[in-house]
């Protein structure tokens, strides 16, 4: 009887799982649902298949059969525990899915029809009947062994083996239940919820506030040294390793995001579509090659990169979020555990809720200690595979590009050169081209017209003249866009407003906020919305006429030399006012300096600027800053005529 129960219909039922799984796949049930329903049923079938085969071999050895059965259970103890604990841990989720199917009558009828075809004895219970069979089998083994033990003579040689086997299978069921409980605790705290502040506040109640207050009190007492802190070197090492792995994954993900952004920018840049104004030759071959690569090689590389590197990286980062949250929860539960342990030592007893908190910590800690090493190893292996894939994709891209470019490279005029000779040719060409570019830039700077004056706000001329006379042209700036002051010391200014710079940083040393004067108010504005104001010569002239009045040594104002509005070509004149060059196509002047006028106007014919030469340097200066050199006065006194 017991032998029949041991063999039982276990394998026939388990083989029905395989047939049912195949039919449900053909029924196009989602793969995710199949993974939840049947979990690791393939592993369960494989172990039971070998177990049944060994059981059948004992049938021919009747005298030693009981002894062999006991040893067989001891042999398969670890394997049975390994496969059944995974299946049992997923059983509750499978039942929830079965209940969800029952709410869809059409889907339920289809599934029930398939089950009745494969397993007629399942009856109306359907999936529930099949799902519970593995659980019933593993829980029945200790009972069957106990029955065999009761019917075995105590002094028989097989009796001690059967005792060990019955105890071992009882331990297997205990460990499976403990593993299932740990998984339930973990599933409760693994969920990572993105809650707003309002949602977090809505979840607060008296109970949660009491728990958080107690934990904070326990933590403060530990930091103050009033109570000892639990030390767990094994877990601390695992946690450090896990955080290091998480950091590697995060850094890799961030770097890959930047790489994809740069790749996207590279694909948007298509020089081959522009008219380079270079007829024939290598340019045509280059444009043809780049079009082909832009249409096929690079988009295909980007697609493979996203599918084989980026998406697995995101999945890996998401997979690590749950364990990371579980580690944080363990710290909270550790504080609860330490408080309960203190109370247990003092009072000798705890409440049911406190006992549950104690068990919750023990379950979390045991699960993390058992599974973190495997998780760390798998995550590093996964990350290594992703890196190898990334390197392989780049190698494939380089190989693809070289294959495509082979034909075009052979037609280039320098294809016969060796690599060192070609490198030297490129360096020489780049050096020569760079020198030509610098010369072109220098010549361009000399012939560029002076910068155009920015438009002023209506009626702002008098304000600009006041700021100019007070601060000078080098301190004037113009607002490039509307400014809305946010603070009490910030100014609100319209676009085009002229201000004078007082300080290029605020009181905290922040150089992005400048202190300015508008002529009526002082305050801070963003430095990025200011640009140096280019003063027109007429404005400088007004300011220059006011200078003599500021010198108290002159009893009477000296006459201002007449400005030169149109100076003859190559004329020797004198700089009346100092001028500071603001760009490379202007030249600086000092008051009283001799100046040679080359052209009395700029390239656009504007007479307000003159091209001059000073100390061997050429550039533009305001024409109103120049005056003809006065005739030398006779030595000594002269009588009025």
């Amino acid at each position: 009887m017991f032998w029949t129960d041991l063999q039982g219909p276990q394998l026939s039922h388990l083989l029905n799982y395989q047939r049912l799984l195949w039919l449900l796949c053909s029924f196009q049930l989602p793969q995710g649902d199949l993974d939840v329903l049947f979990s690791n049923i393939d592993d369960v079938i494989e172990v039971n298949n070998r177990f049944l085969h060994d059981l059948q071999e004992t049938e021919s050895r009747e005298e030693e059969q009981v002894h062999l059965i006991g040893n067989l259970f001891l042999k398969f103890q670890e394997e049975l525990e390994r496969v059944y604990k995974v299946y049992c841990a997923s059983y509750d989720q499978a039942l929830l899915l079965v209940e969800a199917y029952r709410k869809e009558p059409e889907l339920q009828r289809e599934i029930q029809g398939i089950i009745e075809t494969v397993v007629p004895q399942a009856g109306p219970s359907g999936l529930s009947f099949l799902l519970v069979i593995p659980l019933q089998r593993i829980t029945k083994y200790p009972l069957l062994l106990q029955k065999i033990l009761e019917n075995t003579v105590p002094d028989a040689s097989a009796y001690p083996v059967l005792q060990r086997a019955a105890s071992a299978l009882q331990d297997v069921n205990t460990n499976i239940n403990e593993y299932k409980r740990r998984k339930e605790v973990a599933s409760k705290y693994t969920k990572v919820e993105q809650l707003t502040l309002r949602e977090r506040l809505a979840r607060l109640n008296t109970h949660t506030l009491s728990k958080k207050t107690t934990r904070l009190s326990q933590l403060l007492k530990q930091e103050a040294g009033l109570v000892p802190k639990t030390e767990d070197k094994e877990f601390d090492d695992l946690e450090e390793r896990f955080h290091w792995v998480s950091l590697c994954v995060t850094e890799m993900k961030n770097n890959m995001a930047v790489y994809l952004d740069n790749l996207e920018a590279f694909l948007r840049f298509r020089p081959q579509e522009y008219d380079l104004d270079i007829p024939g030759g290598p340019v045509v071959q280059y444009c043809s090659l780049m079009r082909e690569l832009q249409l096929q090689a690079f988009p295909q590389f980007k697609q493979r990169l996203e599918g084989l590197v980026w998406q697995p990286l995101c999945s890996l980062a998401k997979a690590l979020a749950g364990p990371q949250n579980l580690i944080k929860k363990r710290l909270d539960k550790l504080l609860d555990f330490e408080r309960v342990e203190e109370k247990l030592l003092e009072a000798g007893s705890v409440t049911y809720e406190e006992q549950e908190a104690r068990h919750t910590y023990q379950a979390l800690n045991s699960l993390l200690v058992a599974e973190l090493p495997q998780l760390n190893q798998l995550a590093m292996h996964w990350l290594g595979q992703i890196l190898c894939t990334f390197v392989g994709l780049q190698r494939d891209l380089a190989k693809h590009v070289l294959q495509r470019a082979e034909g075009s490279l052979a037609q280039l005029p320098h294809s016969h050169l060796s690599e060192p000779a070609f490198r030297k040719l490129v360096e020489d060409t780049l050096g020569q081209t760079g020198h030509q570019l610098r010369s072109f830039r220098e010549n361009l700077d000399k012939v560029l017209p002076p910068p155009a004056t920015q438009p002023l706000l209506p009626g702002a001329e008098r304000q600009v003249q006041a700021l100019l006379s007070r601060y000078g042209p080098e301190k004037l700036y113009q607002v490039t866009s509307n400014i809305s002051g946010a603070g009490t010391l910030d100014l609100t200014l319209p676009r085009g407003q002229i201000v004078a710079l007082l300080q290029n940083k605020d009181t905290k040393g922040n150089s992005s906020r400048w202190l300015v004067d508008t002529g009526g108010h002082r305050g801070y504005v963003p430095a990025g919305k200011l640009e140096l104001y280019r003063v027109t010569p007429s404005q400088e002239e007004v300011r220059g006429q006011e200078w003599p009045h500021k010198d108290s040594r002159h009893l009477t104002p000296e006459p201002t030399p007449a400005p030169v509005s149109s100076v003859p070509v190559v004329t020797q004149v004198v700089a009346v006012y100092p001028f500071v060059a603001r760009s490379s196509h202007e030249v600086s002047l000092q008051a009283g300096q001799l100046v040679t006028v080359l052209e009395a106007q700029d390239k656009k014919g504007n007479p307000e600027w003159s091209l001059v030469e000073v100390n061997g340097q050429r550039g533009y200066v305001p024409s109103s800053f120049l005056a003809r050199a006065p005739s030398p006065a006779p030595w000594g006194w002269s009588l009025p005529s």
Side-chain angles (χ1 to χ4, degrees):
M1 170 187 174
F2 306 124
W3 165 242
T4 306
D5 286 338
L6 282 175
Q7 291 189 97
Q10 62 168 345
L11 190 60
S12 62
H13 282 316
L14 292 174
L15 291 176
N16 284 335
Y17 271 92
Q18 289 182 323
R19 293 178 58 198
L20 181 62
L21 189 59
W22 181 82
L23 288 173
L24 290 176
C25 286
S26 63
F27 178 59
Q28 295 184 347
L29 204 62
Q31 183 61 42
D33 288 8
L34 295 175
D35 292 339
V36 173
L37 286 172
F38 299 102
S39 185
N40 65 327
I41 195 64
D42 290 334
D43 296 334
V44 175
I45 293 173
E46 191 272 331
V47 171
N48 276 276
N49 190 18
R50 289 190 289 107
F51 180 61
L52 180 60
H53 178 268
D54 290 352
L55 273 177
Q56 290 171 341
E57 287 187 347
T58 64
E59 190 174 5
S60 60
R61 304 169 65 179
E62 295 183 359
E63 294 181 0
E64 301 176 331
Q65 186 176 17
V66 177
H67 190 279
L68 293 173
I69 289 174
N71 284 330
L72 194 57
F73 273 103
L74 292 174
K75 174 185 175 182
F76 277 86
Q77 174 189 354
E78 293 183 1
E79 287 191 80
L80 290 172
E81 179 180 332
R82 175 178 58 83
V83 296
Y84 274 104
K85 71 179 182 181
V86 176
Y87 183 87
C88 294
S90 306
Y91 178 70
D92 291 340
Q93 291 294 324
L95 289 183
L96 291 176
L97 196 56
V98 171
E99 289 298 323
Y101 291 156
R102 288 175 180 169
K103 296 178 182 179
E104 301 182 26
E106 185 176 349
L107 177 61
Q108 177 65 17
R109 282 194 299 271
E110 294 285 347
I111 295 175
Q112 188 64 27
I114 294 174
I115 294 174
E116 290 177 356
T117 302
V118 179
V119 192
Q121 63 269 33
S125 299
L127 274 176
S128 301
F129 171 80
L130 289 173
L131 294 176
V132 79
I133 289 176
L135 275 70
Q136 292 175 338
R137 176 56 48 184
I138 193 63
T139 55
K140 195 174 183 180
Y141 282 146
L143 301 176
L144 294 173
L145 287 170
Q146 190 63 37
K147 284 291 184 181
I148 297 176
L149 188 63
E150 291 174 1
N151 289 272
T152 303
V153 180
D155 58 354
S157 61
Y159 195 85
V161 177
L162 287 174
Q163 279 185 319
R164 293 200 305 271
S167 176
L169 266 293
Q170 189 63 47
D171 291 342
V172 167
N173 280 272
T174 301
N175 293 339
I176 289 174
N177 289 332
E178 180 62 21
Y179 180 81
K180 185 173 181 293
R181 191 173 72 85
R182 292 177 187 175
K183 282 294 185 180
E184 290 172 352
V185 173
S187 63
K188 178 182 178 182
Y189 296 110
T190 302
K191 297 176 182 177
V192 181
E193 297 179 309
Q194 302 296 334
L195 300 177
T196 63
L197 180 60
R198 184 185 297 273
E199 291 170 339
R200 292 180 183 276
L201 292 175
R203 292 192 176 188
L204 289 178
N205 52 45
T206 307
H207 178 68
T208 56
L209 287 175
S210 175
K211 281 200 307 184
K212 293 182 183 299
T213 303
T214 304
R215 289 170 182 168
L216 180 60
S217 173
Q218 181 73 15
L219 188 60
L220 291 175
K221 286 192 292 184
Q222 289 179 356
E223 294 296 330
L226 301 177
V227 295
K229 186 177 181 181
T230 303
E231 298 290 341
D232 191 341
K233 184 69 168 57
E234 181 183 9
F235 178 79
D236 291 342
D237 292 342
L238 291 174
E239 182 185 8
E240 182 180 359
R241 176 75 174 177
F242 174 79
H243 287 312
W244 182 79
V245 172
S246 299
L247 180 62
C248 290
V249 173
T250 302
E251 287 296 320
M252 178 67 177
K253 184 181 175 183
N254 294 338
N255 291 337
M256 190 53 58
V258 175
Y259 184 91
L260 285 172
D261 290 341
N262 292 336
L263 180 61
E264 186 68 30
F266 170 75
L267 292 178
R268 287 196 299 267
F269 179 67
R270 300 182 177 182
Q272 71 276 6
E273 295 182 359
Y274 295 92
D275 185 9
L276 301 179
D277 198 22
I278 304 177
V283 175
V284 176
Q285 299 171 10
Y286 166 79
C287 291
S288 176
L289 175 63
M290 283 305 300
R291 287 192 193 96
E292 188 176 358
L293 294 177
Q294 287 275 4
L295 291 175
Q296 295 183 10
F298 294 135
Q300 182 182 0
F301 170 73
K302 181 173 179 291
Q303 183 180 4
R304 296 181 67 196
L305 191 66
E306 291 174 344
L308 300 176
V309 176
W310 175 248
Q311 291 179 5
L313 260 180
C314 293
S315 298
L316 179 57
K318 186 177 180 181
L320 295 179
Q324 197 164 18
N325 193 52
L326 206 60
I327 291 174
K328 293 179 182 178
K329 288 294 180 181
R330 176 194 174 274
L331 177 60
D332 293 340
K333 300 305 176 183
L334 175 59
L335 295 173
D336 296 341
F337 173 80
E338 291 171 335
R339 181 180 57 82
V340 173
E341 288 293 301
E342 289 178 17
K343 184 177 179 181
L344 192 60
L345 289 175
E346 295 173 359
S349 62
V350 292
T351 63
Y352 174 78
E353 184 180 353
E354 290 171 334
Q355 189 67 25
E356 280 299 309
R358 187 168 176 266
H359 289 162
T360 299
Y361 164 74
Q362 291 174 334
L364 275 178
N365 188 68
S366 300
L367 182 68
L368 288 171
V369 170
E371 297 195 356
L372 269 183
Q374 301 175 24
L375 178 63
N376 291 337
Q377 185 177 0
L378 286 173
M380 287 304 298
H381 178 71
W382 196 349
L383 187 61
Q385 291 296 321
I386 292 174
L387 282 170
C388 290
T389 303
F390 178 56
V391 173
L393 289 178
Q394 289 184 309
R395 187 185 298 114
D396 291 346
L397 175 65
K399 183 178 179 182
H400 189 188
V401 171
L402 286 175
Q403 287 177 349
R404 298 273 182 168
E406 247 180 24
S408 300
L409 291 175
Q411 301 176 22
L412 293 177
H414 306 296
S415 59
H416 63 281
L417 294 178
S418 63
E419 184 176 348
F422 182 74
R423 285 181 177 273
K424 187 177 186 308
L425 175 65
V426 171
E427 291 174 359
D428 294 344
T429 304
L430 289 177
Q432 182 181 0
T433 306
H435 177 71
Q436 293 176 351
L437 185 61
R438 285 191 296 272
S439 301
F440 176 76
R441 181 180 175 182
E442 292 172 0
N443 294 332
L444 185 64
D445 288 340
K446 291 180 180 180
V447 300
L448 277 178
T453 305
Q454 302 180 49
L456 288 176
L457 293 174
E461 290 82 359
R462 182 172 297 179
Q463 178 191 10
V464 174
Q465 291 175 6
L467 293 174
L468 182 63
S469 61
R470 185 172 183 180
Y471 297 103
E474 67 278 358
K475 292 288 186 180
L476 297 194
Y477 286 81
Q478 190 168 28
V479 178
T480 58
S481 60
N482 295 333
I483 299 176
S484 298
T488 54
L489 298 179
D490 293 343
L491 296 177
T492 299
L493 301 176
R495 180 175 180 271
Q497 173 84 34
I498 304 299
V499 297
L501 175 64
L502 300 178
Q503 194 171 4
N504 60 355
K505 58 184 177 180
D506 60 13
T507 54
K508 296 182 179 179
N510 183 10
S511 58
S512 63
R513 294 176 72 238
W514 287 3
L515 180 64
V516 299
D517 182 7
T518 65
H521 301 281
R522 294 186 177 188
Y524 291 99
V525 295
K529 294 190 175 183
L530 296 177
E531 67 175 8
L532 189 65
Y533 178 64
R534 298 180 177 88
V535 182
T536 61
S538 58
Q539 293 170 337
E540 278 283 13
E541 181 181 355
V542 172
R543 177 173 175 263
Q545 292 175 353
E546 297 176 357
W547 283 358
H549 297 279
K550 295 181 182 180
D551 192 350
S552 59
R553 292 176 298 175
H554 293 283
L555 298 179
T556 58
E558 296 180 1
T560 304
V564 178
S565 58
S566 179
V567 185
V569 177
V570 191
T571 303
Q572 195 78 14
V573 296
V574 177
V576 182
Y577 312 120
F579 175 74
V580 179
R582 295 158 297 180
S583 63
S584 58
H585 55 265
E586 296 178 355
V587 66
S588 299
L589 299 176
Q590 294 181 0
Q593 189 174 16
L594 291 177
V595 179
T596 301
V597 178
L598 303 178
E599 293 180 10
Q601 59 188 10
D602 61 17
K603 293 297 182 181
K604 294 184 178 180
N606 182 11
E608 293 183 353
W609 291 86
S610 297
L611 179 62
V612 302
E613 182 174 350
V614 181
N615 295 332
Q617 295 183 353
R618 293 187 177 189
Y620 286 92
V621 297
S623 300
S624 57
F625 279 41
L626 306 175
R628 291 187 178 88
S631 301
W635 181 259
W637 294 94
S638 60
L639 296 176
S641 56

